[in-house]
Amino acid sequence: MKLSKWEDLGKQVYVGQTIVGIRYMTAEEARRCGFYNRPPVLVLSNGLEIVPLQDDEANDGGALGQMF
């Protein structure tokens, strides 16, 4: 899929949503994903959940950071 199509899909799914919750992935969820780590999960107002990943191949959960 072309990058512009991914951007369009992302805009449709994520733009305008609000983060309504945050939690850590459960041990069972991490096990099912094959993760060693339990990353944070951002819960959006439309019910979708965003999980930071170690890399674009989803080899493990990642971390959230803040740039100053």
Side-chain angles (χ1 to χ4, degrees):
M1 187 178 281
K2 291 183 179 181
L3 286 180
S4 61
K5 290 193 180 204
W6 282 116
E7 289 175 5
D8 291 341
L9 179 62
K11 289 175 186 174
Q12 291 173 17
V13 174
Y14 299 117
V15 172
Q17 298 304 312
T18 304
I19 297 171
V20 296
I22 186 166
R23 63 180 180 82
Y24 277 96
M25 184 178 276
T26 67
E28 176 59 22
E29 289 170 327
R31 184 195 65 76
R32 285 195 318 254
C33 291
F35 291 175
Y36 293 103
N37 297 311
R38 292 178 48 216
V41 178
L42 300 175
V43 182
L44 302 181
S45 54
N46 63 359
L48 291 178
E49 296 180 334
I50 298 174
V51 177
L53 300 173
Q54 175 178 300
D55 54 35
D56 61 354
E57 295 175 337
N59 286 313
D60 206 345
L64 294 173
Q66 178 178 341
M67 300 297 291
F68 295 95

